[in-house]
Short mmCIF file of all heavy atoms in Angstrom, two decimals:
data_model
loop_
_atom_site.label_atom_id
_atom_site.label_comp_id
_atom_site.label_asym_id
_atom_site.label_seq_id
_atom_site.Cartn_x
_atom_site.Cartn_y
_atom_site.Cartn_z
N GLN A 237 10.97 8.26 2.36
CA GLN A 237 10.89 9.69 2.63
C GLN A 237 9.47 10.11 2.99
O GLN A 237 9.25 10.96 3.86
CB GLN A 237 11.37 10.49 1.41
CG GLN A 237 12.88 10.41 1.18
CD GLN A 237 13.29 9.24 0.29
OE1 GLN A 237 12.77 8.14 0.41
NE2 GLN A 237 14.23 9.49 -0.60
N GLY A 238 8.49 9.51 2.34
CA GLY A 238 7.11 9.82 2.65
C GLY A 238 6.72 9.39 4.06
O GLY A 238 6.03 10.13 4.78
N LEU A 239 7.16 8.21 4.47
CA LEU A 239 6.85 7.74 5.82
C LEU A 239 7.56 8.58 6.87
O LEU A 239 7.00 8.87 7.94
CB LEU A 239 7.25 6.27 5.97
CG LEU A 239 6.40 5.28 5.17
CD1 LEU A 239 6.98 3.87 5.30
CD2 LEU A 239 4.94 5.29 5.64
N GLU A 240 8.78 8.99 6.59
CA GLU A 240 9.49 9.87 7.52
C GLU A 240 8.75 11.19 7.67
O GLU A 240 8.62 11.72 8.79
CB GLU A 240 10.92 10.09 7.04
CG GLU A 240 11.81 8.87 7.18
CD GLU A 240 13.19 9.07 6.58
OE1 GLU A 240 13.32 9.91 5.66
OE2 GLU A 240 14.13 8.37 7.01
N ALA A 241 8.24 11.73 6.56
CA ALA A 241 7.47 12.97 6.63
C ALA A 241 6.16 12.75 7.39
O ALA A 241 5.71 13.63 8.13
CB ALA A 241 7.18 13.49 5.22
N LEU A 242 5.56 11.58 7.22
CA LEU A 242 4.32 11.25 7.93
C LEU A 242 4.56 11.27 9.44
O LEU A 242 3.75 11.80 10.20
CB LEU A 242 3.82 9.88 7.48
CG LEU A 242 2.46 9.43 7.99
CD1 LEU A 242 1.34 10.19 7.29
CD2 LEU A 242 2.28 7.92 7.77
N VAL A 243 5.67 10.69 9.86
CA VAL A 243 6.00 10.64 11.29
C VAL A 243 6.44 12.01 11.80
O VAL A 243 5.96 12.48 12.84
CB VAL A 243 7.10 9.58 11.54
CG1 VAL A 243 7.60 9.67 12.99
CG2 VAL A 243 6.56 8.18 11.26
N ASP A 244 7.34 12.66 11.07
CA ASP A 244 7.88 13.95 11.53
C ASP A 244 6.79 15.01 11.65
O ASP A 244 6.85 15.89 12.52
CB ASP A 244 8.96 14.44 10.57
CG ASP A 244 10.21 13.56 10.58
OD1 ASP A 244 10.35 12.78 11.54
OD2 ASP A 244 11.01 13.65 9.63
N SER A 245 5.78 14.94 10.79
CA SER A 245 4.71 15.94 10.81
C SER A 245 3.73 15.72 11.95
O SER A 245 2.96 16.62 12.30
CB SER A 245 3.93 15.88 9.49
OG SER A 245 3.24 14.64 9.38
N GLY A 246 3.73 14.53 12.53
CA GLY A 246 2.74 14.21 13.56
C GLY A 246 1.49 13.58 13.00
O GLY A 246 0.63 13.12 13.77
N LEU A 247 1.35 13.51 11.68
CA LEU A 247 0.16 12.88 11.08
C LEU A 247 0.05 11.41 11.44
O LEU A 247 -1.04 10.89 11.64
CB LEU A 247 0.20 13.03 9.55
CG LEU A 247 -0.25 14.35 8.95
CD1 LEU A 247 0.04 14.35 7.46
CD2 LEU A 247 -1.73 14.59 9.21
N ALA A 248 1.20 10.74 11.51
CA ALA A 248 1.18 9.31 11.80
C ALA A 248 0.55 9.02 13.16
O ALA A 248 -0.02 7.95 13.37
CB ALA A 248 2.60 8.74 11.74
N ASP A 249 0.65 9.97 14.09
CA ASP A 249 0.05 9.76 15.41
C ASP A 249 -1.46 9.54 15.31
O ASP A 249 -2.06 8.93 16.21
CB ASP A 249 0.30 10.97 16.31
CG ASP A 249 1.78 11.14 16.65
OD1 ASP A 249 2.52 10.15 16.58
OD2 ASP A 249 2.18 12.28 16.97
N TYR A 250 -2.07 10.01 14.22
CA TYR A 250 -3.51 9.92 14.06
C TYR A 250 -3.93 8.87 13.03
O TYR A 250 -5.01 8.29 13.16
CB TYR A 250 -4.08 11.29 13.67
CG TYR A 250 -3.78 12.34 14.71
CD1 TYR A 250 -2.65 13.16 14.58
CD2 TYR A 250 -4.58 12.48 15.84
CE1 TYR A 250 -2.34 14.10 15.55
CE2 TYR A 250 -4.28 13.42 16.81
CZ TYR A 250 -3.16 14.22 16.67
OH TYR A 250 -2.86 15.15 17.64
N VAL A 251 -3.11 8.62 12.04
CA VAL A 251 -3.52 7.70 10.98
C VAL A 251 -2.79 6.37 11.02
O VAL A 251 -3.28 5.38 10.47
CB VAL A 251 -3.34 8.34 9.59
CG1 VAL A 251 -4.13 9.63 9.50
CG2 VAL A 251 -1.88 8.59 9.24
N PHE A 252 -1.61 6.32 11.67
CA PHE A 252 -0.84 5.09 11.72
C PHE A 252 0.09 5.15 12.94
O PHE A 252 1.31 5.14 12.82
CB PHE A 252 -0.03 4.95 10.43
CG PHE A 252 0.66 3.63 10.23
CD1 PHE A 252 0.48 2.57 11.10
CD2 PHE A 252 1.52 3.46 9.15
CE1 PHE A 252 1.12 1.37 10.92
CE2 PHE A 252 2.17 2.25 8.95
CZ PHE A 252 1.97 1.21 9.83
N PRO A 253 -0.49 5.22 14.15
CA PRO A 253 0.33 5.45 15.35
C PRO A 253 1.33 4.35 15.64
O PRO A 253 2.30 4.57 16.38
CB PRO A 253 -0.72 5.56 16.47
CG PRO A 253 -1.93 4.85 15.94
CD PRO A 253 -1.93 5.11 14.47
N GLU A 254 1.11 3.17 15.09
CA GLU A 254 2.05 2.07 15.33
C GLU A 254 3.44 2.38 14.77
O GLU A 254 4.44 1.85 15.27
CB GLU A 254 1.52 0.77 14.71
CG GLU A 254 0.25 0.24 15.34
CD GLU A 254 -1.01 0.94 14.85
OE1 GLU A 254 -0.91 1.81 13.94
OE2 GLU A 254 -2.10 0.62 15.36
N LEU A 255 3.51 3.22 13.74
CA LEU A 255 4.80 3.54 13.13
C LEU A 255 5.67 4.41 14.04
O LEU A 255 6.81 4.03 14.35
CB LEU A 255 4.59 4.19 11.77
CG LEU A 255 5.85 4.38 10.91
CD1 LEU A 255 6.53 3.05 10.62
CD2 LEU A 255 5.50 5.09 9.60
N PRO A 256 5.19 5.57 14.52
CA PRO A 256 6.03 6.34 15.44
C PRO A 256 6.29 5.61 16.76
O PRO A 256 7.31 5.86 17.41
CB PRO A 256 5.25 7.63 15.66
CG PRO A 256 3.84 7.32 15.26
CD PRO A 256 3.96 6.30 14.18
N ASP A 257 5.41 4.70 17.14
CA ASP A 257 5.63 3.92 18.37
C ASP A 257 6.87 3.04 18.27
O ASP A 257 7.40 2.58 19.29
CB ASP A 257 4.41 3.03 18.67
CG ASP A 257 3.24 3.82 19.23
OD1 ASP A 257 3.43 5.02 19.55
OD2 ASP A 257 2.13 3.26 19.33
N LEU A 258 7.34 2.80 17.03
CA LEU A 258 8.54 1.98 16.85
C LEU A 258 9.81 2.73 17.23
O LEU A 258 10.88 2.12 17.34
CB LEU A 258 8.65 1.52 15.39
CG LEU A 258 7.58 0.54 14.90
CD1 LEU A 258 7.77 0.27 13.41
CD2 LEU A 258 7.64 -0.75 15.68
N GLU A 259 9.71 4.03 17.43
CA GLU A 259 10.87 4.81 17.83
C GLU A 259 11.15 4.57 19.32
O GLU A 259 11.05 5.47 20.16
CB GLU A 259 10.66 6.30 17.56
CG GLU A 259 10.53 6.61 16.07
CD GLU A 259 10.38 8.09 15.80
OE1 GLU A 259 9.35 8.67 16.19
OE2 GLU A 259 11.30 8.66 15.21
N LEU A 260 11.50 3.34 19.63
CA LEU A 260 11.75 2.96 21.01
C LEU A 260 13.01 3.66 21.53
O LEU A 260 13.98 3.85 20.79
CB LEU A 260 11.95 1.44 21.11
CG LEU A 260 10.77 0.57 20.69
CD1 LEU A 260 11.17 -0.89 20.77
CD2 LEU A 260 9.56 0.82 21.56
N GLU A 261 12.97 4.01 22.79
CA GLU A 261 14.15 4.62 23.40
C GLU A 261 15.27 3.60 23.43
O GLU A 261 15.12 2.49 23.94
CB GLU A 261 13.81 5.09 24.82
CG GLU A 261 14.99 5.74 25.54
CD GLU A 261 14.61 6.16 26.96
OE1 GLU A 261 13.42 6.11 27.29
OE2 GLU A 261 15.52 6.53 27.70
N ILE A 262 16.40 3.95 22.85
CA ILE A 262 17.55 3.04 22.82
C ILE A 262 18.33 3.19 24.12
O ILE A 262 18.74 4.28 24.51
CB ILE A 262 18.46 3.36 21.62
CG1 ILE A 262 17.66 3.31 20.32
CG2 ILE A 262 19.64 2.40 21.58
CD1 ILE A 262 17.05 1.98 20.02
N ASP A 263 18.53 2.06 24.82
CA ASP A 263 19.26 2.14 26.09
C ASP A 263 20.74 2.42 25.82
O ASP A 263 21.24 2.25 24.72
CB ASP A 263 19.09 0.83 26.87
CG ASP A 263 19.64 -0.35 26.10
OD1 ASP A 263 18.90 -0.93 25.27
OD2 ASP A 263 20.81 -0.68 26.34
N GLU A 264 21.44 2.83 26.84
CA GLU A 264 22.81 3.30 26.67
C GLU A 264 23.76 2.23 26.17
O GLU A 264 24.80 2.53 25.59
CB GLU A 264 23.32 3.87 28.00
CG GLU A 264 23.34 2.85 29.15
CD GLU A 264 23.86 3.46 30.43
OE1 GLU A 264 24.64 4.42 30.33
OE2 GLU A 264 23.51 2.98 31.52
#
Side-chain angles (χ1 to χ4, degrees):
Q237 289 89 319
L239 291 175
E240 289 175 335
L242 187 73
V243 171
D244 293 344
S245 67
L247 279 173
D249 294 337
Y250 300 94
V251 302
F252 189 6
E254 295 80 4
L255 189 60
D257 285 351
L258 293 175
E259 295 183 294
L260 299 177
E261 180 181 350
I262 304 299
D263 61 275
E264 60 180 334

